[in-house]
mmCIF file of all heavy atoms in Angstrom:
data_model
loop_
_atom_site.group_PDB
_atom_site.id
_atom_site.type_symbol
_atom_site.label_atom_id
_atom_site.label_comp_id
_atom_site.label_asym_id
_atom_site.label_seq_id
_atom_site.Cartn_x
_atom_site.Cartn_y
_atom_site.Cartn_z
ATOM 1 N N ASN X 128 0.823 4.714 -24.286
ATOM 2 C CA ASN X 128 -0.589 4.267 -24.516
ATOM 3 C C ASN X 128 -0.695 2.745 -24.614
ATOM 4 O O ASN X 128 -1.618 2.107 -24.000
ATOM 5 C CB ASN X 128 -1.223 4.856 -25.791
ATOM 6 C CG ASN X 128 -1.383 6.300 -25.709
ATOM 7 O OD1 ASN X 128 -1.455 6.925 -24.523
ATOM 8 N ND2 ASN X 128 -1.374 7.031 -26.757
ATOM 9 N N PHE X 129 0.318 2.071 -25.195
ATOM 10 C CA PHE X 129 0.350 0.646 -25.219
ATOM 11 C C PHE X 129 0.480 0.029 -23.912
ATOM 12 O O PHE X 129 -0.254 -1.014 -23.589
ATOM 13 C CB PHE X 129 1.451 0.172 -26.216
ATOM 14 C CG PHE X 129 1.574 -1.283 -26.417
ATOM 15 C CD1 PHE X 129 0.716 -1.996 -27.278
ATOM 16 C CD2 PHE X 129 2.484 -2.044 -25.651
ATOM 17 C CE1 PHE X 129 0.800 -3.329 -27.433
ATOM 18 C CE2 PHE X 129 2.597 -3.380 -25.780
ATOM 19 C CZ PHE X 129 1.798 -4.025 -26.599
ATOM 20 N N VAL X 130 1.393 0.528 -23.087
ATOM 21 C CA VAL X 130 1.656 0.000 -21.750
ATOM 22 C C VAL X 130 0.391 0.089 -20.872
ATOM 23 O O VAL X 130 0.055 -0.751 -20.082
ATOM 24 C CB VAL X 130 2.910 0.672 -21.119
ATOM 25 C CG1 VAL X 130 3.003 0.316 -19.569
ATOM 26 C CG2 VAL X 130 4.166 0.293 -21.850
ATOM 27 N N GLU X 131 -0.212 1.278 -20.993
ATOM 28 C CA GLU X 131 -1.507 1.479 -20.200
ATOM 29 C C GLU X 131 -2.581 0.660 -20.605
ATOM 30 O O GLU X 131 -3.349 0.051 -19.770
ATOM 31 C CB GLU X 131 -1.945 2.974 -20.297
ATOM 32 C CG GLU X 131 -1.002 3.931 -19.649
ATOM 33 C CD GLU X 131 -1.396 5.388 -19.835
ATOM 34 O OE1 GLU X 131 -2.369 5.621 -20.678
ATOM 35 O OE2 GLU X 131 -0.854 6.213 -19.171
ATOM 36 N N LYS X 132 -2.707 0.274 -21.830
ATOM 37 C CA LYS X 132 -3.661 -0.658 -22.318
ATOM 38 C C LYS X 132 -3.389 -1.974 -21.877
ATOM 39 O O LYS X 132 -4.356 -2.762 -21.445
ATOM 40 C CB LYS X 132 -3.665 -0.646 -23.937
ATOM 41 C CG LYS X 132 -4.693 -1.603 -24.489
ATOM 42 C CD LYS X 132 -4.723 -1.531 -26.033
ATOM 43 C CE LYS X 132 -5.630 -2.550 -26.641
ATOM 44 N NZ LYS X 132 -5.637 -2.543 -28.195
ATOM 45 N N LYS X 133 -2.095 -2.410 -21.837
ATOM 46 C CA LYS X 133 -1.831 -3.738 -21.359
ATOM 47 C C LYS X 133 -2.038 -3.901 -19.874
ATOM 48 O O LYS X 133 -2.480 -4.931 -19.320
ATOM 49 C CB LYS X 133 -0.185 -3.964 -21.577
ATOM 50 C CG LYS X 133 0.090 -4.079 -23.023
ATOM 51 C CD LYS X 133 -0.029 -5.564 -23.522
ATOM 52 C CE LYS X 133 0.992 -6.419 -23.043
ATOM 53 N NZ LYS X 133 1.069 -7.683 -23.706
ATOM 54 N N LYS X 134 -1.892 -2.804 -19.071
ATOM 55 C CA LYS X 134 -2.118 -2.910 -17.688
ATOM 56 C C LYS X 134 -3.588 -3.042 -17.344
ATOM 57 O O LYS X 134 -4.068 -3.776 -16.509
ATOM 58 C CB LYS X 134 -1.665 -1.472 -17.015
ATOM 59 C CG LYS X 134 -0.108 -1.429 -16.862
ATOM 60 C CD LYS X 134 0.269 -0.201 -16.059
ATOM 61 C CE LYS X 134 1.796 -0.222 -15.828
ATOM 62 N NZ LYS X 134 2.195 1.056 -15.199
ATOM 63 N N GLU X 135 -4.474 -2.317 -18.175
ATOM 64 C CA GLU X 135 -5.919 -2.527 -18.150
ATOM 65 C C GLU X 135 -6.283 -3.999 -18.342
ATOM 66 O O GLU X 135 -7.127 -4.540 -17.694
ATOM 67 C CB GLU X 135 -6.693 -1.698 -19.058
ATOM 68 C CG GLU X 135 -6.519 -0.171 -18.655
ATOM 69 C CD GLU X 135 -7.193 0.821 -19.715
ATOM 70 O OE1 GLU X 135 -7.861 0.256 -20.578
ATOM 71 O OE2 GLU X 135 -7.187 1.978 -19.477
ATOM 72 N N GLN X 136 -5.637 -4.664 -19.406
ATOM 73 C CA GLN X 136 -5.982 -5.993 -19.688
ATOM 74 C C GLN X 136 -5.501 -6.930 -18.547
ATOM 75 O O GLN X 136 -6.210 -7.931 -18.082
ATOM 76 C CB GLN X 136 -5.213 -6.335 -20.991
ATOM 77 C CG GLN X 136 -5.795 -5.717 -22.258
ATOM 78 C CD GLN X 136 -5.037 -6.099 -23.443
ATOM 79 O OE1 GLN X 136 -3.945 -6.784 -23.294
ATOM 80 N NE2 GLN X 136 -5.429 -5.678 -24.590
ATOM 81 N N LYS X 137 -4.396 -6.555 -17.886
ATOM 82 C CA LYS X 137 -3.908 -7.371 -16.809
ATOM 83 C C LYS X 137 -4.723 -7.331 -15.626
ATOM 84 O O LYS X 137 -5.071 -8.258 -15.022
ATOM 85 C CB LYS X 137 -2.489 -6.786 -16.479
ATOM 86 C CG LYS X 137 -1.927 -7.436 -15.159
ATOM 87 C CD LYS X 137 -0.632 -6.821 -14.751
ATOM 88 C CE LYS X 137 -0.158 -7.302 -13.396
ATOM 89 N NZ LYS X 137 1.106 -6.628 -12.988
ATOM 90 N N ASN X 138 -5.325 -6.117 -15.310
ATOM 91 C CA ASN X 138 -6.212 -5.959 -14.153
ATOM 92 C C ASN X 138 -7.513 -6.704 -14.411
ATOM 93 O O ASN X 138 -8.062 -7.332 -13.425
ATOM 94 C CB ASN X 138 -6.690 -4.444 -13.915
ATOM 95 C CG ASN X 138 -5.411 -3.703 -13.470
ATOM 96 O OD1 ASN X 138 -4.483 -4.192 -12.818
ATOM 97 N ND2 ASN X 138 -5.363 -2.362 -13.704
ATOM 98 N N GLN X 139 -7.911 -6.753 -15.656
ATOM 99 C CA GLN X 139 -9.195 -7.552 -15.922
ATOM 100 C C GLN X 139 -8.917 -9.095 -15.748
ATOM 101 O O GLN X 139 -9.720 -9.840 -15.201
ATOM 102 C CB GLN X 139 -9.620 -7.309 -17.378
ATOM 103 C CG GLN X 139 -10.159 -5.934 -17.589
ATOM 104 C CD GLN X 139 -10.416 -5.568 -19.049
ATOM 105 O OE1 GLN X 139 -10.226 -6.453 -19.847
ATOM 106 N NE2 GLN X 139 -10.847 -4.364 -19.358
ATOM 107 N N MET X 140 -7.731 -9.586 -16.195
ATOM 108 C CA MET X 140 -7.346 -10.901 -15.966
ATOM 109 C C MET X 140 -7.292 -11.345 -14.590
ATOM 110 O O MET X 140 -7.696 -12.390 -14.084
ATOM 111 C CB MET X 140 -6.033 -11.171 -16.687
ATOM 112 C CG MET X 140 -6.095 -11.086 -18.223
ATOM 113 S SD MET X 140 -4.425 -11.012 -18.936
ATOM 114 C CE MET X 140 -3.696 -12.526 -18.240
ATOM 115 N N VAL X 141 -6.726 -10.428 -13.685
ATOM 116 C CA VAL X 141 -6.454 -10.706 -12.222
ATOM 117 C C VAL X 141 -7.757 -10.965 -11.450
ATOM 118 O O VAL X 141 -7.924 -11.793 -10.638
ATOM 119 C CB VAL X 141 -5.757 -9.611 -11.597
ATOM 120 C CG1 VAL X 141 -5.669 -9.745 -10.075
ATOM 121 C CG2 VAL X 141 -4.285 -9.652 -12.089
ATOM 122 N N HIS X 142 -8.900 -10.220 -11.934
ATOM 123 C CA HIS X 142 -10.130 -10.301 -11.223
ATOM 124 C C HIS X 142 -11.051 -11.397 -11.763
ATOM 125 O O HIS X 142 -12.140 -11.523 -11.363
ATOM 126 C CB HIS X 142 -10.848 -8.914 -11.337
ATOM 127 C CG HIS X 142 -10.195 -7.906 -10.487
ATOM 128 N ND1 HIS X 142 -9.193 -7.104 -10.918
ATOM 129 C CD2 HIS X 142 -10.416 -7.638 -9.179
ATOM 130 C CE1 HIS X 142 -8.795 -6.197 -9.916
ATOM 131 N NE2 HIS X 142 -9.538 -6.542 -8.909
ATOM 132 N N GLN X 143 -10.531 -12.181 -12.836
ATOM 133 C CA GLN X 143 -11.180 -13.246 -13.277
ATOM 134 C C GLN X 143 -10.956 -14.405 -12.499
ATOM 135 O O GLN X 143 -9.892 -14.639 -12.039
ATOM 136 C CB GLN X 143 -10.908 -13.577 -14.749
ATOM 137 C CG GLN X 143 -11.375 -12.484 -15.758
ATOM 138 C CD GLN X 143 -10.858 -12.759 -17.082
ATOM 139 O OE1 GLN X 143 -10.193 -13.675 -17.393
ATOM 140 N NE2 GLN X 143 -11.364 -11.902 -18.076
ATOM 141 N N PRO X 144 -11.938 -15.366 -12.287
ATOM 142 C CA PRO X 144 -11.748 -16.612 -11.432
ATOM 143 C C PRO X 144 -10.639 -17.478 -12.008
ATOM 144 O O PRO X 144 -10.038 -18.218 -11.293
ATOM 145 C CB PRO X 144 -13.081 -17.222 -11.326
ATOM 146 C CG PRO X 144 -13.875 -16.749 -12.394
ATOM 147 C CD PRO X 144 -13.368 -15.348 -12.681
ATOM 148 N N MET X 145 -10.585 -17.537 -13.400
ATOM 149 C CA MET X 145 -9.664 -18.429 -14.025
ATOM 150 C C MET X 145 -9.226 -18.021 -15.392
ATOM 151 O O MET X 145 -10.155 -17.431 -16.051
ATOM 152 C CB MET X 145 -10.274 -19.927 -14.147
ATOM 153 C CG MET X 145 -9.309 -20.808 -14.800
ATOM 154 S SD MET X 145 -10.079 -22.484 -14.848
ATOM 155 C CE MET X 145 -11.583 -22.180 -15.942
ATOM 156 N N VAL X 146 -8.024 -18.160 -15.731
ATOM 157 C CA VAL X 146 -7.589 -17.642 -17.112
ATOM 158 C C VAL X 146 -7.474 -18.843 -17.987
ATOM 159 O O VAL X 146 -6.802 -19.826 -17.630
ATOM 160 C CB VAL X 146 -6.346 -16.928 -17.055
ATOM 161 C CG1 VAL X 146 -5.695 -16.656 -18.408
ATOM 162 C CG2 VAL X 146 -6.315 -15.762 -16.146
ATOM 163 N N THR X 147 -8.206 -18.890 -19.076
ATOM 164 C CA THR X 147 -8.282 -20.008 -19.953
ATOM 165 C C THR X 147 -7.474 -19.788 -21.184
ATOM 166 O O THR X 147 -7.161 -20.679 -21.948
ATOM 167 C CB THR X 147 -9.724 -20.381 -20.340
ATOM 168 O OG1 THR X 147 -10.277 -19.235 -20.864
ATOM 169 C CG2 THR X 147 -10.453 -20.811 -19.045
ATOM 170 N N ASN X 148 -7.254 -18.529 -21.498
ATOM 171 C CA ASN X 148 -6.478 -18.153 -22.818
ATOM 172 C C ASN X 148 -5.724 -16.867 -22.732
ATOM 173 O O ASN X 148 -6.307 -15.938 -22.002
ATOM 174 C CB ASN X 148 -7.565 -18.078 -23.942
ATOM 175 C CG ASN X 148 -6.808 -17.816 -25.209
ATOM 176 O OD1 ASN X 148 -5.705 -18.398 -25.427
ATOM 177 N ND2 ASN X 148 -7.494 -17.036 -26.106
ATOM 178 N N LEU X 149 -4.663 -16.846 -23.158
ATOM 179 C CA LEU X 149 -3.822 -15.675 -23.148
ATOM 180 C C LEU X 149 -3.689 -15.142 -24.499
ATOM 181 O O LEU X 149 -3.533 -15.942 -25.470
ATOM 182 C CB LEU X 149 -2.364 -15.858 -22.591
ATOM 183 C CG LEU X 149 -2.296 -16.253 -21.153
ATOM 184 C CD1 LEU X 149 -0.860 -16.570 -20.771
ATOM 185 C CD2 LEU X 149 -2.922 -15.231 -20.245
ATOM 186 N N ASP X 150 -3.875 -13.876 -24.823
ATOM 187 C CA ASP X 150 -3.800 -13.235 -26.079
ATOM 188 C C ASP X 150 -2.506 -13.480 -26.685
ATOM 189 O O ASP X 150 -1.409 -13.417 -25.981
ATOM 190 C CB ASP X 150 -4.224 -11.736 -25.979
ATOM 191 C CG ASP X 150 -4.527 -11.134 -27.331
ATOM 192 O OD1 ASP X 150 -5.619 -11.416 -27.814
ATOM 193 O OD2 ASP X 150 -3.610 -10.527 -27.967
ATOM 194 N N ASP X 151 -2.384 -13.480 -28.035
ATOM 195 C CA ASP X 151 -1.219 -13.830 -28.684
ATOM 196 C C ASP X 151 -0.220 -12.716 -28.611
ATOM 197 O O ASP X 151 0.980 -12.853 -28.794
ATOM 198 C CB ASP X 151 -1.437 -14.104 -30.208
ATOM 199 C CG ASP X 151 -2.056 -15.395 -30.444
ATOM 200 O OD1 ASP X 151 -1.938 -16.301 -29.497
ATOM 201 O OD2 ASP X 151 -2.735 -15.626 -31.485
ATOM 202 N N ASP X 152 -0.678 -11.513 -28.285
ATOM 203 C CA ASP X 152 0.278 -10.435 -28.219
ATOM 204 C C ASP X 152 1.025 -10.260 -26.915
ATOM 205 O O ASP X 152 1.753 -9.391 -26.763
ATOM 206 C CB ASP X 152 -0.439 -9.018 -28.520
ATOM 207 C CG ASP X 152 -1.376 -8.571 -27.531
ATOM 208 O OD1 ASP X 152 -1.730 -9.419 -26.689
ATOM 209 O OD2 ASP X 152 -1.680 -7.360 -27.411
ATOM 210 N N ASP X 153 0.737 -11.183 -26.022
ATOM 211 C CA ASP X 153 1.491 -11.283 -24.714
ATOM 212 C C ASP X 153 2.904 -11.675 -25.063
ATOM 213 O O ASP X 153 3.111 -12.760 -25.617
ATOM 214 C CB ASP X 153 0.808 -12.166 -23.683
ATOM 215 C CG ASP X 153 -0.444 -11.498 -23.077
ATOM 216 O OD1 ASP X 153 -0.412 -10.279 -23.007
ATOM 217 O OD2 ASP X 153 -1.380 -12.275 -22.831
ATOM 218 N N ASP X 154 3.785 -10.984 -24.555
ATOM 219 C CA ASP X 154 5.238 -11.176 -24.883
ATOM 220 C C ASP X 154 5.862 -12.024 -23.920
ATOM 221 O O ASP X 154 5.732 -11.848 -22.720
ATOM 222 C CB ASP X 154 5.884 -9.734 -24.872
ATOM 223 C CG ASP X 154 7.188 -9.748 -25.655
ATOM 224 O OD1 ASP X 154 7.996 -10.783 -25.619
ATOM 225 O OD2 ASP X 154 7.336 -8.754 -26.400
ATOM 226 N N ASP X 155 6.771 -12.909 -24.399
ATOM 227 C CA ASP X 155 7.409 -13.853 -23.425
ATOM 228 C C ASP X 155 8.286 -13.074 -22.530
ATOM 229 O O ASP X 155 8.669 -13.489 -21.352
ATOM 230 C CB ASP X 155 8.280 -14.939 -24.226
ATOM 231 C CG ASP X 155 7.391 -15.866 -24.932
ATOM 232 O OD1 ASP X 155 6.202 -16.009 -24.548
ATOM 233 O OD2 ASP X 155 7.911 -16.530 -25.875
#
């Protein structure tokens, strides 16, 4: 469930014209 949620967030980020902030839970 956690991985699927992260993928949904990733897809939303890709379709945005610019990324200005990354959530803190993004893992290095």
Side-chain angles (χ1 to χ4, degrees):
N128 292 337
F129 179 80
V130 170
E131 291 177 351
K132 181 180 177 182
K133 294 274 288 189
K134 285 183 178 180
E135 292 178 2
Q136 293 176 353
K137 173 184 171 181
N138 292 333
Q139 293 174 1
M140 289 165 58
V141 168
H142 289 89
Q143 291 175 358
M145 181 176 65
V146 175
T147 58
N148 183 36
L149 295 178
D150 193 79
D151 288 339
D152 68 346
D153 283 332
D154 202 320
D155 291 341

